[in-house]
Amino acid sequence: MPELHIHMPQNRDEERPRLRLTILNQFFYPDHSATSQLMTALAEDLARAGVQVTALAGRGSYNGGQRFAASEMHHGVHIERAWATSFGKRHLPGRLTDYLTFYLGAFWRLLTLPRQDIVMALTTPPLIGLVAWLVGRWRGMRFIALQEDMYPDVAVALGALRAGGLMTRVLDGLTRLMLRHADRIIVLSDCMLERVLDKLGEAARPRIDVIHNWADGQEIVPLAGEKARFWQERGLPALAEKFVVLFSGNLGLVNEFATVLEAARALNQQADIAFVFIGEGARSAELRDFAARHALQNITLLPYQPRTEVCRSLSAADALLITLADGLAGLSVPSKTYSNLAAGRPLLFVGDQRSSTAALIQQHACGATLASG
């Protein structure tokens, strides 16, 4: 995690008001989504450093089916949850409804919560930063835009929006408006920095910080001798004797699974290699259907594991798989890269070779990178 420098008072004469920060994202603890885990870790560390942190999220979980308390404290972080629907990510109408209701709920809660010094908005849902900017300007709060994904560029690259279409132009105009008015912009890689500069021009560079995602190197560590125990506990003892290629996390639209699935089909008769997918998401059905259609015995799908088990699950693999669809370099960054590195297993990256993940693996010789196909 980036080192944090905050001056803390040494005596009562030096005391001054604590910095007050609101983190605005649709998901937060105890949700298991990537941004939730990252922001929870950041908020906990900031709170320990003396910052007064409020997390403003929705009441639903990433994949739907769970509802969280409207307000609670967690490790010094005040969590407030705005009312919104929680249909989850499985169907587009439900996802859009979740987005719309969270925009409205977050707008109201930002207006009514005690005023903060800074509001930092992520990109879940897209353009939630507009809410942070509007309310922030009204109430005298500085606005930071943390770009986890670039919209509408990601949707265009995935074919969900048409390049040059009316909706694309509207969303792109709103994104530029939001970023132009941000006091600071945080991007996750040098590649993403160039994408933002393409929108805003070189004059914006002094307002942009490149801060890579991270993993807690004390929570996730390489574990020896874990492989057999982990798979036996899950009723899969045969995996302990195989070379396990493991994908752990959201099975989302930004991932590239076609190459991996074809590799599994080609290796189906090789009994000492297994492909394991732990997680859920929009691409779950695709993986299940492919495995069933081709009668593949070397693919195993498991649900999300508890956060306390992530270190063990990653250590139960021989190689950790990361994928990114072509055209998404600089638009989306696989956050699992950093937890996978912390687990001390070689990384296998499949997808856009211009991405920061591919560059990291090549620079540090900590795995292999393969283009799609």
Side-chain angles (χ1 to χ4, degrees):
M1 186 180 296
E3 186 175 356
L4 179 68
H5 297 281
I6 295 180
H7 178 72
M8 300 300 295
Q10 301 301 311
N11 54 58
R12 295 186 63 86
D13 293 334
E14 197 182 352
E15 287 180 1
R16 53 184 167 181
R18 299 167 67 191
L19 179 68
R20 298 167 300 176
L21 167 70
T22 292
I23 298 175
L24 175 59
N25 189 52
Q26 193 174 4
F27 306 107
F28 197 77
Y29 172 88
D31 189 78
H32 54 63
S33 63
T35 56
S36 170
Q37 294 187 44
L38 285 165
M39 290 303 103
T40 300
L42 176 63
E44 290 172 358
D45 273 14
L46 289 172
R48 282 192 291 267
V51 178
Q52 182 178 311
V53 184
T54 299
L56 178 55
R59 296 192 65 179
S61 60
Y62 184 82
N63 284 315
Q66 284 184 282
R67 297 285 287 178
F68 303 123
S71 179
E72 65 177 303
M73 290 293 294
H74 171 73
H75 292 182
V77 179
H78 183 202
I79 305 174
E80 287 287 338
R81 296 190 177 94
W83 182 90
T85 59
S86 55
F87 293 106
K89 300 285 186 176
R90 292 181 177 86
H91 306 291
L92 182 60
R95 179 185 297 194
L96 294 177
T97 302
D98 289 353
Y99 285 172
L100 177 60
T101 53
F102 183 66
Y103 291 134
L104 297 174
F107 185 88
W108 175 249
R109 295 302 287 135
L110 275 181
L111 278 177
T112 55
L113 284 171
R115 194 189 72 83
Q116 307 287 282
D117 301 305
I118 300 170
V119 54
M120 180 175 73
L122 279 68
T123 52
T124 307
L127 297 175
I128 191 64
L130 287 172
V131 171
W133 165 55
L134 289 171
V135 178
R137 286 296 178 266
W138 191 349
R139 303 192 66 190
M141 299 184 289
R142 286 171 288 169
F143 164 48
I144 298 174
L146 198 172
Q147 294 298 106
E148 289 281 340
D149 296 292
M150 292 293 297
Y151 291 100
D153 312 66
V154 168
V156 172
L158 293 174
L161 289 176
R162 182 170 58 87
L166 176 61
M167 181 62 70
T168 301
R169 296 199 307 273
V170 169
L171 293 176
D172 188 63
L174 290 173
T175 297
R176 292 170 189 262
L177 176 69
M178 176 189 71
L179 294 176
R180 278 199 300 268
H181 288 90
D183 295 290
R184 303 295 297 184
I185 301 168
I186 298 172
V187 296
L188 306 183
S189 67
D190 292 324
C191 191
M192 186 176 283
L193 169 63
E194 296 306 316
R195 296 277 197 173
V196 173
L197 291 176
D198 286 344
K199 290 184 181 295
L200 302 183
E202 281 294 324
R205 188 181 290 269
R207 291 189 293 119
I208 305 176
D209 299 290
V210 178
I211 302 177
H212 294 265
N213 279 333
W214 57 83
D216 187 333
Q218 295 180 328
E219 182 178 302
I220 300 179
V221 297
L223 296 178
E226 189 58 50
K227 185 176 178 180
R229 285 193 299 272
F230 183 83
W231 297 123
Q232 286 170 0
E233 289 173 8
R234 279 145 188 83
L236 300 166
L239 290 179
E241 305 301 323
K242 299 184 180 185
F243 186 94
V244 175
V245 178
L246 173 67
F247 181 97
S248 176
N250 181 46
L251 305 171
L253 297 175
V254 299
N255 294 119
E256 201 283 315
F257 289 127
T259 301
V260 179
L261 292 174
E262 288 297 337
R265 183 164 69 152
L267 294 168
N268 194 35
Q269 300 305 314
Q270 192 153 331
D272 60 341
I273 298 176
F275 295 83
V276 180
F277 299 85
I278 296 179
E280 300 172 8
R283 308 291 291 276
S284 299
E286 175 187 337
L287 271 64
R288 292 191 183 92
D289 292 347
F290 188 95
R293 188 165 63 252
H294 298 287
L296 300 184
Q297 303 301 310
N298 58 354
I299 290 181
T300 300
L301 282 80
L302 296 174
Y304 277 111
Q305 301 297 296
R307 183 175 175 179
T308 54
E309 292 289 283
V310 170
C311 182
R312 297 184 66 218
S313 66
L314 295 179
S315 294
D318 297 285
L320 294 170
L321 176 66
I322 303 169
T323 74
L324 185 67
D326 282 341
L328 293 188
L331 301 181
S332 185
V333 176
S335 59
K336 64 173 56 64
T337 301
Y338 306 91
S339 58
N340 289 3
L341 284 169
R345 296 294 185 267
L347 307 189
L348 177 61
F349 176 79
V350 180
D352 198 321
Q353 295 295 288
R354 299 168 300 166
S355 74
S356 58
T357 300
L360 184 152
I361 293 172
Q362 292 162 1
Q363 179 183 353
H364 297 285
C366 53
T369 68
L370 299 168
S372 299

